[in-house]
Amino acid sequence: MRVLEGLEPQNVFYFFEEITRIPHGSGNVKQISDYLKKFATDRGLECIQDELYNVIIIKEATEGYEDAEPYILQGHMDMVAVKTPECDIDMTKDPLQLYVEDERIHAKGTSLGGDDGIAIAYVLALLDADDISHPRVEVILTVDEETGMEGAKGIDLSMLRGKRLINLDQEEEGVVITSCAGGARVDVGIPLNREKAQQGSVQFMEINVKGLLGGHSGIEIDKGRGNANCLLGRVLKGLSEQCDLHLASMKGGLADNAIPREAEAIIAVDISQKEAVIAGAREYENIIRQELGDKDPDLTVECRETAWRDECYDVSSTVQALNCLCRLPNGIIAMSQELEGLVQTSLNLGVVTIEQDKLMLSYAVRSSVDEEKEQLCVQMQEIAKNAGAAAEVRNSYTGWAYRADSPLRDIVAEVYEKMYGKKPVLEAIHAGVECGILAAKIEGLDCVSIGPDMSNVHTAQESIDVASVQRMWKYLLALLAYK
C-alpha cells in the first residue's frame, strides 16, 4: 500500500510518492529525467530532453481554450539530498521512506524533496488528466537548480510560445514571489602540509559541533542560527592559540546552500595538553550557547580521545588554514534599504572537507545587487590569496528583477482574492529561483512564483503540509482556467 494513498488530491500525491522512489539529488538526475520523458512519451505528449537532462513537455489547449495565451509551468527536478548521521539510506540509490504525521508529509531520516518535487507532482497530475480545462501548457523541468541553476542556464527555450510563467518553487502558501536574489558559488582551497605523527608524544582528539537547527541558506539566514562549520573553525582556532594543534581531518555540511547542522574534526595535540583541550572545548560550548540563546538552544561541542593516525598536518599550515576560515565572512552582509526585513547580501559556508591536502570551503553567495555579489566574491578571493590559498567563483547567476507592469501578477492576485477572500502577499525573497535566468531567454516573459507550505527545506526535518498542497492545486487550476 502506498503511504500517501487516500490523500487529496490523489493524483498529485500519487506522482509525488512516485518521484520520492527515484533518487534525484543534485548531480544525480538522469533517472528522474528519463522517468519524466517516458511519462510524456507514454501519453503522446510532445517532449524534449536535452543533453543536460532538462525536460520540456507540451500539452495543447483543451476545448474552449485554443485561443487563450499559453502558460509556462516551471520547477526543478533535483533536490538537496541530506540525512541525519544515523540514517543508513543511500540517497544516491535508495527510495525515501515517507510517513505522515500531524497532517504533514516527512521522510524518515532524510530531506523530503518537497523542494521541488511538489512542482513535478503538480505538473504531472495536470498533464495526466483529461478533465482539466487549460490553455496550451508548456512545462519546463530543469536540473541542478540547487547547485547553481545550471539546467536553467543551459536550456534552449526557443520552441516555446508562452510569455507568462508560473514557477512552482515557492514554500509559503499565500505569498507570491515577484523577485529574488542572484547568486554564485565560491570554493576556497587552503593548502595543508602533511607530516608524520609523533607516536608516544601526541594524542588524537575528535571534536564535534552538533545539535544545530540548520536550514535553507536563503530563507533561514536571517534567523541567527549557528553554522556548524564556522563554529567548529572558531573552536579550533581558539584551541590553536592555547596549544600546538595539528589538524588531521575536518568535515561538515552536505550542501553549500544549506546551513550546516553538524561538523567534526580530528586533531593531534601534545599528550600533556589533552585535558586542557577538553576543558577548552567545554568552555567554547558554554560561550557559544550563551551567544545563540534560544535561536539554537541544542548546540553541543564534544571533545574526546580517538584512534591513532600515522599522519596529520603541521602546526603552521593548520594555523594558516584556520585563520583563513575565520577571516572569511559568513552570514548576513547587508540588509535591503528599500524593503524592510529583506536580506540583500549574504553567504553561507555550507561544506567543509579536506581533499588532496587542502582544506576545502564551499560557500553559497546571494545578493539582490549584482555589483555587491561580485564585490563580495572579490573580497573572498583577496582574503584567500593573502592566506596562500585560492578562491574560485563558479555558477554565478543573475537575480530576478521586480517588474512594475505585470499582467500575470494582477491575475494571480485577483484569482487568489476571489478564492480566499484576502489578497496574497507580494514579496521579494533572498533565496533564488530560476525566473531571472529564464526571463533572459524569453523576451517579455512575465513571471510569478507560488507553492504550498513547506518547512525546514534542505534539512532532514523537511515537511510539507497536506491541506496546503490541496489548496494550492485548486488555486493553480483556477489560474489555468481564468479567462
Side-chain angles (χ1 to χ4, degrees):
M1 179 179 174
R2 290 177 171 270
V3 175
L4 306 184
E5 189 171 343
L7 298 183
E8 294 289 348
Q10 292 186 30
N11 225 19
V12 172
F13 286 116
Y14 169 83
F15 286 114
F16 184 77
E17 188 161 358
E18 280 284 287
I19 64 174
T20 65
R21 297 178 175 182
I22 304 171
H24 56 283
S26 301
N28 183 33
V29 293
K30 183 179 186 303
Q31 189 177 354
I32 186 71
S33 178
D34 288 344
Y35 169 85
L36 295 170
K37 181 181 179 182
K38 184 177 186 301
F39 167 93
T41 302
D42 289 348
R43 289 157 180 79
L45 300 173
E46 182 179 351
C47 180
I48 301 166
Q49 181 188 51
D50 66 19
E51 61 183 10
L52 297 175
Y53 299 117
N54 294 307
V55 171
I56 294 173
I57 305 173
I58 298 172
K59 186 175 184 179
E60 295 299 337
T62 58
E63 184 177 354
Y65 285 81
E66 296 88 349
D67 296 329
E69 183 181 350
Y71 265 111
I72 301 173
L73 303 181
Q74 190 267 324
H76 61 87
M77 64 183 81
D78 64 311
M79 65 177 284
V80 173
V82 295
K83 62 181 184 178
T84 59
E86 62 273 11
C87 179
D88 60 2
I89 291 175
D90 184 342
M91 297 191 75
T92 67
K93 300 176 182 178
D94 300 333
L96 303 183
Q97 297 179 11
L98 304 185
Y99 67 97
V100 180
E101 182 177 270
D102 297 328
E103 302 302 316
R104 300 186 74 91
I105 303 169
H106 310 252
K108 295 178 181 177
T110 69
S111 48
L112 175 65
D115 174 15
D116 195 23
I118 196 60
I120 302 176
Y122 277 150
V123 298
L124 293 187
L126 172 66
L127 295 171
D128 188 55
D130 56 12
D131 59 349
I132 295 174
S133 298
H134 59 79
R136 173 181 161 103
V137 173
E138 301 171 335
V139 172
I140 303 172
L141 297 172
T142 54
V143 301
D144 298 342
E145 186 268 356
E146 300 290 6
T147 53
M149 305 196 183
E150 293 304 289
K153 290 178 189 175
I155 197 169
D156 176 16
L157 303 178
S158 59
M159 78 296 295
L160 300 187
R161 302 179 198 167
K163 295 288 188 179
R164 52 183 185 177
L165 181 148
I166 299 176
N167 169 278
L168 296 166
D169 195 14
Q170 159 63 333
E171 295 149 15
E172 187 176 359
E173 180 186 347
V175 177
V176 178
I177 301 305
T178 59
S179 63
C180 74
R185 266 46 177 184
V186 178
D187 297 322
V188 180
I190 313 168
L192 294 164
N193 299 322
R194 189 184 294 268
E195 67 177 13
K196 291 286 185 182
Q198 300 299 311
Q199 193 163 12
S201 64
V202 299
Q203 172 66 54
F204 281 86
M205 312 285 291
E206 180 178 343
I207 299 180
N208 294 276
V209 173
K210 56 186 181 179
L212 296 164
L213 292 171
H216 188 301
S217 69
I219 298 173
E220 276 88 24
I221 199 72
D222 62 343
K223 301 294 190 300
R225 297 176 182 175
N227 180 306
N229 291 333
C230 294
L231 293 176
L232 178 59
R234 175 182 169 185
V235 171
L236 294 176
K237 182 178 184 299
L239 294 175
S240 74
E241 294 169 353
Q242 301 173 18
C243 66
D244 290 338
L245 188 149
H246 303 255
L247 195 59
S249 73
M250 187 173 178
K251 63 179 180 179
L254 296 170
D256 49 20
N257 59 358
I259 302 170
R261 301 174 62 245
E262 301 182 352
E264 64 182 56
I266 294 177
I267 60 173
V269 296
D270 189 276
I271 290 177
S272 65
Q273 296 172 320
K274 178 184 67 174
E275 295 303 325
V277 168
I278 294 173
R282 189 180 304 117
E283 182 178 353
Y284 271 105
E285 178 186 67
N286 293 332
I287 292 171
I288 297 170
R289 283 176 69 91
Q290 288 181 2
E291 292 174 354
L292 293 175
D294 59 5
K295 296 174 183 177
D296 238 325
D298 298 324
L299 164 87
T300 60
V301 179
E302 298 178 352
C303 182
R304 65 178 70 86
E305 296 181 21
T306 191
W308 172 262
R309 296 185 172 205
D310 291 330
E311 294 182 318
C312 54
Y313 296 102
D314 67 19
V315 171
S316 177
S317 65
T318 292
V319 170
Q320 187 171 10
L322 295 175
N323 284 343
C324 182
L325 187 161
C326 292
R327 285 173 185 154
L328 285 162
N330 185 79
I332 296 174
I333 302 300
M335 298 295 292
S336 172
Q337 299 301 304
E338 299 175 352
L339 296 172
E340 185 177 354
L342 177 66
V343 178
Q344 179 168 290
T345 303
S346 75
L347 73 167
N348 174 65
L349 175 54
V351 181
V352 171
T353 59
I354 291 181
E355 301 174 10
Q356 299 179 339
D357 294 337
K358 289 183 179 179
L359 181 64
M360 301 298 301
L361 314 176
S362 294
Y363 292 83
V365 176
R366 302 177 189 270
S367 182
S368 52
V369 179
D370 284 344
E371 290 183 3
E372 204 164 278
K373 176 190 71 178
E374 293 166 6
Q375 183 179 358
L376 179 56
C377 291
V378 169
Q379 177 189 352
M380 297 175 73
Q381 289 175 313
E382 291 176 350
I383 293 172
K385 182 179 179 180
N386 290 337
E392 177 188 358
V393 181
R394 60 182 173 88
N395 294 350
S396 181
Y397 59 92
T398 188
W400 167 26
Y402 180 81
R403 176 171 166 164
D405 177 25
S406 170
L408 176 57
R409 188 173 64 235
D410 294 341
I411 292 171
V412 164
E414 179 186 338
V415 172
Y416 189 90
E417 188 171 5
K418 284 182 178 178
M419 291 184 70
Y420 300 111
K422 59 182 179 180
K423 296 181 183 294
V425 176
L426 305 179
E427 188 172 276
I429 59 168
H430 187 55
V433 292
E434 294 155 294
C435 295
I437 297 170
L438 300 177
K441 295 174 180 283
I442 300 177
E443 185 177 356
L445 188 66
D446 194 0
C447 308
V448 296
S449 180
I450 61 174
D453 285 334
M454 288 181 260
S455 62
N456 297 314
V457 297
H458 297 184
T459 78
Q461 289 72 45
E462 181 182 0
S463 67
I464 188 166
D465 184 274
V466 172
S468 183
V469 170
Q470 182 179 39
R471 288 190 296 269
M472 292 305 291
W473 169 245
K474 292 179 180 178
Y475 178 48
L476 177 61
L477 298 189
L479 290 174
L480 296 175
Y482 178 90
K483 286 187 177 181

